[in-house]
Amino acid sequence: MKVTEHINNANGKTQFSFEILPPLKGQNVQSIFDNIDPLMEFKPPFIDVTYHREEYVYQEQENGLLKKKVVKKRPGTVGICAAIQNKYHLDAIPHILCGGFTKEDTENFLIDLDFLGINNVMALRGDAVKTETYFRPEKEGHNYASDLVSQISELNKGTYLDEELLNTSATNFCVGVAAYPEKHMEAPSLDSDIKFLKKKIINGAEYIVTQMFFDNKKYFDFVQKCRKEGITVPIIPGLKPIATKKQLNLIPHRFHVDLPEELILEVVKCKDNDQVKKLGIEWCIQQSRELQKAGIPVLHYYSMGKSDNIKAIASQVF
Ligand SMILES: Cc1cc2nc3c(=O)[nH]c(=O)nc-3n(C[C@H](O)[C@H](O)[C@H](O)COP(=O)(O)OP(=O)(O)OC[C@H]3O[C@@H](n4cnc5c(N)ncnc54)[C@H](O)[C@@H]3O)c2cc1C
């Protein structure tokens, strides 16, 4: 089923969903199931699986010169989605990127998803590769997520890259896109970022998932701005419980979001990470309850491969 159908069928009840990462290369799929199993009692209608593009690693050789090696640390997004759909009979949503994909790669990836009975896809640009400052698309790839959304919409009409193909079968993807209540790091302003978010919707995206935020006001203000701009699709909030002291610096650095002063002061007071974890769970429960009370259709949790704190939150909220 499509995400939009899950939302429509819920009759206003707030639903639980979460995101997982494929395991590091070398680990098996059981590690994923072990994290999903404890969360199944909260009946997620869908689970997102992130996509991780290749990275460049530079290894020093005996002669002192550096050798560039291309590594993909977390392959398996499509395989895990298929395994999840098979095992749990719910919708798995693969993420797909512009980065590292030519249009041809994108089309072939989408054909695989279609054959597997995967009806939803989260379309993203992806970040610059770690050793570069700016995002660089493939030669025959897309610059922005809005262009990727257009390609998926074309395939949904049965239009493939090779215009000579006859009697083509149309796909039926429901497309989600990302948004940033605190602005995407490269956007010159929030207004400009929302303008481009609207382009993704015009090009065919049917729902939005936000970057994590720790102050609900940021989300509510953002939704209001989007509605004013004529964006009417569901805007699903992304939530992450803070779990370690280190994250006070890591989260703003990695995700370009602010932490509320009150939360920072409480984390600083914690004696160890066990206390931080408890505090993070409590903070996220409060955020979740307020969002639920406001009638938000789905709360989406960034599990980062660990289910215990998400289970602690869900058991108090759902
Ligand atoms: C919910 C969610 C899930 C994610 N999952 C993954 C994942 O699985 N794998 C991964 O690698 N990354 C993931 N990311 C991170 C994401 O790839 C990065 O944040 C990336 O830098 C931007 O992706 P986007 O799809 O938002 O890009 P876009 O929508 O293309 O926007 C990127 C930037 O360009 C600007 N822009 C957009 N269109 C135009 C235009 N036409 N002209 C000029 N400027 C424009 C925007 O304002 C923005 O600043 C995720 C992020 C979120 C919020």
Side-chain angles (χ1 to χ4, degrees), residues 19 48-53 94-98 122-128 135 143-147 177-180 183-189 192-197 199-200 208-212 238 254 300 302:
E19 175 184 292
D48 276 60
V49 182
T50 53
Y51 190 92
H52 300 260
R53 66 173 299 182
H95 292 192
I96 178 172
L97 306 181
C98 302
M122 181 81 184
L124 301 139
R125 187 197 70 178
D127 288 322
F135 173 79
N143 253 309
Y144 297 108
S146 51
D147 303 325
V177 289
Y180 307 82
K183 182 182 95 57
H184 182 256
M185 60 175 166
E186 293 163 29
S189 71
S192 132
D193 209 18
I194 291 177
K195 192 175 97 195
F196 291 123
L197 174 61
K199 195 167 175 202
K200 296 195 263 195
I208 292 167
V209 181
T210 78
Q211 181 58 282
M212 63 183 74
R254 173 78 186 83
H300 189 67
Y302 294 111

Side-chain angles (χ1 to χ4, degrees), residues 193-251:
D193 209 18
I194 291 177
K195 192 175 97 195
F196 291 123
L197 174 61
K198 188 167 177 190
K199 195 167 175 202
K200 296 195 263 195
I201 308 303
I202 290 169
N203 290 0
E206 293 183 72
Y207 73 97
I208 292 167
V209 181
T210 78
Q211 181 58 282
M212 63 183 74
F213 55 88
F214 295 86
D215 175 356
N216 285 352
K217 186 171 181 314
K218 299 241 164 93
Y219 169 81
F220 289 126
D221 289 351
F222 177 71
V223 172
Q224 210 177 17
K225 268 183 172 252
C226 290
R227 300 301 182 224
K228 243 173 134 180
E229 284 304 311
I231 296 172
T232 56
V233 302
I235 303 179
I236 298 174
L239 297 165
K240 181 193 154 35
I242 195 162
T244 64
K245 272 201 181 185
K246 260 194 182 161
Q247 287 176 344
L248 274 190
N249 305 109
L250 270 179
I251 288 175

Side-chain angles (χ1 to χ4, degrees), residues 29 33 49 75-86 94 109 113 116 118:
V29 75
F33 296 153
V49 182
T77 300
V78 175
I80 287 170
C81 284
I84 289 175
Q85 292 211 160
N86 253 333
F109 187 93
L113 301 184
L116 286 166
I118 292 171

